[in-house]
């Protein structure tokens, strides 16, 4: 399967796991039955993909429904459960699910699956629990938790990922708009809104810190680009990243912001974020002296970890940006797979250790 299809199935599987498993990740007998059901669905989708182009859709649907009816009847005969006469409500539900949700649905699947791949069909089927949850909220007044909402988002993200054309052009755009400057600005803005002192004061601090930490280094980088001091915007040449001016600004920018936040009692989320940025810059610079590491991936990894620490489960989907940016940097030829993976591990590791030392995580 293609990269998009593989990623889509992975996201959908992760979403289904969040929707199905309990908090302690315990696998019960019902979970095993659901797993066997999923395998049966997979075999059914593959079988329909093989036979639908060569068979009449109505005839193939009749064979499927008749087979299930006969097998279900045989199972009911040998069952020890007492069989009672169904109530009118049961007959109505059986008619609805049997005609619309089974016979008509199978006919539509058999007719249309010949025009798509089994992977796309499987991804469409993964939306079933999402719509079941939505109708449960609408009709039965079920309550959805954060875990269920994130699971549904991951399933829909999987469907979207399977349809995206994962080209080099897309990788270039991801590299540009998820660069450390854009990600850092978005992070500061979000953490400013979470300031305990109030979102107005938090945004003012975020603006001031952003001008110092982001705008300052950008001015230096633009000057070096115009004078030919660096080859490109992303400092693709490792040696360009360890120039004295670059090192000075890389350390002074977060260090100065940290001092201002400390002495003037700035918002705690921004203070923690600047500590993570300061330590991450030191670690990345130390590595860059002898080996090239992906600054893009390490930055987005640390930023995602900070968002999860301060926003909780709602920010978990931002962790998906880590493999996305890693893929983009490798796709454009800026880094190897090992350099991208090292960036992600470094960013997550520095953020985790810093948060624990500061007592946030």
């Amino acid at each position: 399967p293609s990269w998009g299809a593989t990623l889509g199935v992975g996201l959908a599987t992760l979403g289904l796991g969040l929707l199905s498993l309990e908090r302690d990740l315990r696998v019960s007998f019902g979970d095993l039955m659901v797993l066997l059901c999923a395998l049966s669905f997979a075999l059914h989708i593959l079988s329909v993909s093989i036979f639908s182009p060569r068979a009449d859709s109505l005839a193939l649907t009749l064979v499927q429904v008749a087979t299930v009816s006969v097998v279900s009847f045989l199972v009911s005969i040998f069952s020890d459960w007492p069989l009672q006469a169904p109530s009118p409500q049961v007959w109505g539900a059986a008619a609805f699910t049997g005609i619309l949700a089974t016979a008509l649905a199978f006919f539509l699947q058999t007719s249309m699956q010949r025009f798509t791949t089994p992977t796309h069909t499987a991804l469409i089927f993964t939306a079933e629990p999402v719509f079941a949850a939505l109708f449960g909220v609408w009709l039965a007044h079920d309550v959805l938790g954060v875990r269920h909402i994130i699971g549904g988002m991951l399933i829909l993200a999987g469907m979207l990922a399977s349809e995206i054309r994962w080209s080099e052009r897309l990788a270039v755009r991801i590299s540009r708009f998820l660069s450390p400057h854009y990600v850092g600005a978005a992070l500061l803005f979000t953490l400013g809104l979470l300031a305990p002192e109030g979102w107005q004061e938090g945004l003012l601090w975020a603006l001031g810190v952003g001008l110092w930490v982001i705008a300052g280094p950008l001015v230096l980088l633009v000057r070096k680009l115009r004078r030919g001091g660096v080859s490109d915007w992303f400092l693709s040449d490792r040696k360009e990243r360890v120039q004295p001016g670059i090192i000075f600004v890389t350390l002074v920018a977060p260090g100065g912001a940290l001092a201002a936040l400390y002495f003037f009692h700035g918002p705690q989320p921004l203070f923690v974020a600047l500590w993570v940025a300061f330590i991450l810059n030191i670690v990345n610079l130390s590595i860059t002296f002898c080996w090239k590491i992906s600054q893009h991936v390490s930055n987005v990894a640390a930023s995602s970890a900070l968002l999860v620490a301060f926003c909780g489960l709602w920010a978990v989907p931002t962790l998906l940006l880590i493999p996305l940016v890693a893929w983009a940097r490798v796709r454009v030829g800026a880094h190897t797979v090992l350099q991208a993976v090292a960036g992600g591990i470094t960013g997550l590791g520095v953020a985790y250790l810093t948060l624990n030392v500061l007592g946030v995580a």
Side-chain angles (χ1 to χ4, degrees):
S2 65
W3 160 263
T6 304
L7 177 61
V9 172
L11 292 175
T13 303
L14 181 59
L16 285 172
L18 285 175
L19 290 173
S20 303
L21 296 178
E22 297 299 327
R23 180 169 296 181
D24 58 359
L25 300 182
R26 179 176 53 87
V27 179
S28 62
F29 176 75
D31 295 323
L32 294 178
M33 296 299 292
V34 171
L35 177 61
L36 292 176
C37 181
L39 293 176
S40 301
F41 262 107
L43 293 175
H44 175 253
I45 291 172
L46 291 175
S47 301
V48 172
S49 297
I50 295 173
F51 292 108
S52 62
R54 300 179 294 180
D56 179 74
S57 299
L58 181 58
L60 188 56
T61 302
L62 290 175
V63 170
Q64 295 178 77
V65 175
T67 301
V68 173
S69 300
V70 171
V71 173
S72 300
F73 177 72
L74 294 176
V75 171
S76 66
I77 292 177
F78 295 100
S79 175
D80 294 331
W81 304 335
L83 299 178
Q84 299 178 355
S87 64
Q89 291 82 0
V90 173
W91 279 116
F96 175 81
T97 56
I99 297 174
L100 295 180
T102 303
L104 180 59
F106 277 6
F107 175 72
L108 293 176
Q109 177 191 352
T110 304
S111 302
M112 299 302 169
Q113 193 171 329
R114 68 185 68 186
F115 303 111
T116 187
T117 63
T119 303
H120 286 174
T121 304
L123 286 169
I124 293 173
F125 269 87
T126 59
E128 184 176 356
V130 178
F131 286 101
L134 293 177
F135 278 101
V137 173
W138 179 27
L139 299 177
H141 306 290
D142 293 338
V143 178
L144 291 181
V146 176
R147 179 168 61 91
H148 303 96
I149 295 175
I150 293 176
M153 292 171 59
L154 289 175
I155 291 174
L156 295 177
M159 297 177 63
L160 179 62
S162 67
E163 300 297 330
I164 294 177
R165 295 183 62 184
W166 296 89
S167 61
E168 185 173 351
R169 183 179 180 182
L170 176 62
V172 171
R173 291 182 177 179
I174 293 174
S175 295
R176 178 180 303 171
F177 293 108
L178 288 180
S179 65
H181 309 100
Y182 289 107
V183 172
L187 177 67
L188 291 176
F189 178 80
T190 304
L191 295 182
L193 292 174
L194 300 175
E197 297 83 356
W199 65 269
Q200 296 94 336
E201 183 177 345
L203 287 182
L204 288 176
W205 270 103
L207 179 61
V209 169
L211 289 174
W212 177 259
V213 175
I214 299 175
L218 281 178
V219 172
L220 174 66
L221 184 57
V222 170
R223 292 183 61 184
K224 283 187 170 291
L225 275 171
R226 291 178 176 177
R227 297 177 179 180
V230 293
S231 57
D232 59 65
W233 184 261
F234 298 122
L235 303 178
S236 300
D237 187 350
R238 178 181 62 85
K239 296 180 180 179
E240 295 176 350
R241 301 182 179 185
V242 292
Q243 297 179 25
I246 299 292
I247 295 176
F248 179 77
V249 172
T250 301
L251 297 179
V252 168
L258 266 177
L261 286 165
Y262 177 77
F263 287 110
F264 296 100
H265 307 287
Q268 189 244 8
L270 293 176
F271 183 73
V272 173
L274 265 296
W275 262 118
V276 172
F278 184 67
I279 297 174
L280 184 61
N281 286 349
I282 293 177
V283 173
N284 282 344
L285 279 174
S286 302
I287 297 174
T288 304
F289 276 105
C290 56
W291 191 60
K292 187 178 179 181
I293 189 173
S294 176
Q295 307 279 1
H296 277 68
V297 182
S298 65
N299 181 268
V300 78
S303 299
S304 298
L306 283 168
L307 287 176
V308 172
F310 285 103
C311 301
L313 287 176
W314 289 103
V316 168
T318 62
L319 295 173
L320 298 174
L321 294 176
I322 302 173
L324 179 65
V325 175
W327 167 82
R329 300 304 289 161
V330 174
R331 185 69 172 82
V332 300
H335 293 281
T336 64
V337 174
L338 183 59
Q339 291 167 350
V341 171
I345 294 175
T346 302
L348 289 175
V350 168
Y352 178 78
L353 293 175
T354 306
L355 289 168
N356 274 273
V357 169
L358 295 178
V360 178

